[in-house]
Amino acid sequence: MKVLIMLVCADAADGNDLFKLCSYGSAQEKIGCDLYISGFLHGLQVSQDLPGKVCLPSEPLSGTQAVNIYLEFLSDVALAAAVKKGMAIEQNPFFTAEQSHSLFGVFAMKFPCAKQ
């Protein structure tokens, strides 16, 4: 169901389309609108908390690529914990921090900015 909701908002090509979906759309479209705008807001909040820490590649990442990066990174961290080569999951900030901070941490590790 979440995929359908997010695809509905992805159809909004501009501010007017998004406004229409959020104002006059079906119940599912309005939920998708709420999720889309909430995700955008959380992204803004995280970017203001830690500026200059993540430098994404010039080629935009798709949502699927971003999910795969996150899952692969956390799977590696979990494996390291399982073989006693890393911090236990229950104590690891990648697993215990707010989800926005966990995501930001992963992308900061994967795409660090060059030191100046």
Side-chain angles (χ1 to χ4, degrees), residues 7-30:
L7 289 176
V8 168
C9 269
D11 289 338
D14 58 24
N16 189 43
D17 291 338
L18 185 60
F19 174 76
K20 288 176 184 176
L21 284 174
C22 295
S23 300
Y24 310 111
S26 68
Q28 288 179 330
E29 289 170 326
K30 288 180 180 179

Side-chain angles (χ1 to χ4, degrees), residues 10-103:
D11 289 338
D14 58 24
N16 189 43
D17 291 338
L18 185 60
F19 174 76
K20 288 176 184 176
L21 284 174
C22 295
S23 300
Y24 310 111
S26 68
Q28 288 179 330
E29 289 170 326
K30 288 180 180 179
I31 290 169
C33 172
D34 290 348
L35 291 171
Y36 180 82
I37 292 174
S38 293
F40 182 82
L41 177 61
H42 287 289
L44 283 177
Q45 290 167 337
V46 169
S47 69
Q48 290 177 357
D49 288 344
L50 299 167
K53 302 290 183 193
V54 177
C55 291
L56 294 173
S58 58
E59 185 68 30
L61 295 172
S62 71
T64 300
Q65 288 172 309
V67 168
N68 289 339
I69 288 167
Y70 183 73
L71 293 175
E72 181 180 327
F73 189 95
L74 262 63
S75 293
D76 289 347
V77 171
L79 179 60
V83 297
K84 308 283 191 236
K85 294 201 181 242
M87 190 180 296
I89 289 175
E90 301 81 28
Q91 299 167 335
N92 192 305
F94 287 111
F95 287 95
T96 61
E98 282 184 36
Q99 60 190 8
S100 59
H101 292 131
S102 176
L103 281 165

